[in-house]
Structure formats: C-alpha cells, structure tokens
Amino acid sequence: MRSMPSRVDPGDLSTRARLRDAAILRFAREGFGASLRSIAGDAGFSAGLVVHLFGSKEGLRAECDEYVFTVVRDTKRGVVADSAGPASFLVQMAKIEEYAPLVGYVVRSLQAGGDRARAFVEHMVADAAGYVAEGVAAGTIVPSRDEQARARYLLGASLGPLLLELSLNPPVDPADLGGFLTSYFDRVALPALELFTEGFLTDRRMLDTYLLYIGDPPGDTEGRPARTPAASTDQESDHADLHPTRDRDPRPT
C-alpha cells in the first residue's frame, strides 16, 4: 500500500497533515484499534503530540474522516461534473494504487458498524448527491426523479461489490490493498462503464410498469419530461421512439 495522495506538496506537509496521513494508512491496514503510539511512530512523532494536536484518537479519526470525504468528493466532482471528466478519469486510473489507503479507510469505517458507520455513510450520500447534482447541471449526468435515492443507490452499488470482494477474496498481504484495488478495478471498470453509459435494458417498459404500480412516483426533474406507458399491443411501436439510438449497437463487432 503506497503512501497517501496528498493535496499539497509532500515536502511541505505540516505536522498535523503528516499525522493525519499516517493515521489513515494505519487505520486502513489494522482497523481503528491501532494505537496512537504506532500512528505517531509512523509519522516520526510521539503519541503525546497526537493528543496535543487532536485531543484524542476520536479527534484524530474525525479529522481523518473529513479529509477522506474531501478527497473523495473532489475526485468524483472532477470526473462527473467537469467537461474534462474523461481525461480526469484516466488520470485517476493511473493513480489508483495511491488511493488505496483512502479506500481501505472507507472499508474499515463501514466494517466498524454502529452509529458512527451510519453517520459516515450518510455524509458520503450527501456528498454524492452534491457532485451528482453538479453533473446534472453541467449536462454530463441524466437527471433523476429522486436524486437523493439515486445517490444512495450509487454509493451502495460502488461499495457493496468492493466489500463482497474483500470478504470472499481478501488480499494475502493486508498491506497490499493497492494491488488488490488495481486488480479489482481492472475487472469491474468495463461492465460498470457499460452500464452507466449504454444502459442495460433495451426499452423502458419495466420502468413505466413500476411507475404505474407505485401510483404516486416522485416528481420528474427538470429536463426529464413525465411519461406514462403507451397503451398498445405493438411492442416495437410502443417503444421505438424512446431510444432512437438503441438499434445501433455501440460495441465493436
């Protein structure tokens, strides 16, 4: 597992930032039972300095939380809400091992469970709703009937498979989360991008049926006109105008 991706020049890291980064890396490797002494030693300081700067392990962890939220939020925003998103995505792919401590920290936060884990998830959902909304405003993301529900689903769809993979196929060396993450991403990137970009179903009959079933669907957002299923026995004519490009398979033949 490589060192943390810093938001400033590593040579200029403050004592506080060095301790924070050391804590994220140590927590990612060992969980939140890691001692302040080990964290301080990783950064080249004393445990007393950690207490002086952060008050306690809980104070240190709170600062780690905020840093992780910020990096994840800014990284996602650069990919989904910016016209340079594709180029930014390639940059993030090239640096994926550097983000392993952050991913490990997120996983440990979820595995810890309890109220703190729930609060951690709620914060990530709120952040996701924010950068997705920016993507909708920028025209890079399709609007949703329920943006908050979609943000929550996207977070679960992102973290759930990762937790499953870690449970079934954990890295032999817990410190090699970077190698694990690279291998995992190589396997899921294509199907994930296909689903997000090209979709999965060839028409919207299932969605239309569900919208009628629930009776009072969420209000349609601006840019997504309300639609009810057309009453017709001709399946092709019902849906031919819904996806005019679906007859062109974008995948190479």
Side-chain angles (χ1 to χ4, degrees):
M1 190 185 299
R2 296 183 181 178
S3 59
M4 285 286 300
S6 178
R7 295 165 59 81
V8 295
D9 183 343
D12 295 332
L13 278 177
S14 67
T15 299
R16 192 179 191 93
R18 287 168 61 187
L19 285 166
R20 177 206 65 211
D21 287 359
I24 291 174
L25 183 57
R26 177 65 68 166
F27 287 146
R29 287 175 171 171
E30 299 181 6
F32 296 106
S35 69
L36 291 183
R37 185 180 301 277
S38 65
I39 292 169
D42 291 342
F45 299 109
S46 68
L49 182 61
V50 179
V51 174
H52 173 73
L53 290 176
F54 300 99
S56 64
K57 184 192 286 189
E58 285 302 303
L60 174 60
R61 186 174 168 185
E63 186 142 336
C64 292
D65 283 355
E66 287 303 318
Y67 179 78
V68 170
F69 293 146
T70 299
V71 174
V72 171
R73 183 174 61 245
D74 290 352
T75 301
K76 294 287 189 179
R77 178 183 289 127
V79 172
V80 303
D82 192 305
S83 60
S88 178
F89 175 66
L90 291 178
V91 171
Q92 301 310 323
M93 283 181 60
K95 299 193 303 182
I96 190 167
E97 285 198 33
E98 296 181 24
Y99 289 92
L102 298 177
V103 174
Y105 185 91
V106 170
V107 168
R108 292 291 190 181
S109 297
L110 300 180
Q111 291 174 332
D115 291 340
R116 180 141 194 174
R118 282 188 284 272
F120 190 91
V121 169
E122 290 305 315
H123 197 300
M124 293 194 75
V125 169
D127 283 349
Y131 56 71
V132 168
E134 292 179 19
V136 171
T140 59
I141 296 177
V142 175
S144 170
R145 294 168 181 81
D146 189 334
E147 296 288 0
Q148 190 71 16
R150 180 171 66 172
R152 186 176 299 278
Y153 175 79
L154 287 171
L155 182 66
S158 173
L159 295 178
L162 179 61
L163 287 169
L164 178 63
E165 184 69 15
L166 278 168
S167 296
L168 298 180
N169 302 298
V172 176
D173 179 2
D176 188 30
L177 187 57
F180 166 87
L181 192 61
T182 298
S183 174
Y184 172 77
F185 188 80
D186 286 344
R187 285 182 281 112
V188 304
L190 177 59
L193 286 172
E194 280 185 337
L195 283 170
F196 283 122
T197 305
E198 298 173 352
F200 184 68
L201 300 174
T202 59
D203 60 49
R204 54 173 289 156
R205 286 175 297 158
M206 194 173 296
L207 172 61
D208 285 336
T209 299
Y210 176 73
L211 291 175
L212 287 178
Y213 170 76
I214 61 178
D216 188 21
D220 288 318
T221 58
E222 182 179 353
R224 182 190 286 279
R227 179 189 290 271
T228 56
S232 171
T233 58
D234 185 345
Q235 175 177 315
E236 293 300 321
S237 61
D238 277 356
H239 303 285
D241 64 329
L242 299 179
H243 293 288
T245 62
R246 289 290 182 172
D247 58 340
R248 300 196 304 272
D249 188 347
R251 294 168 296 181
T253 58

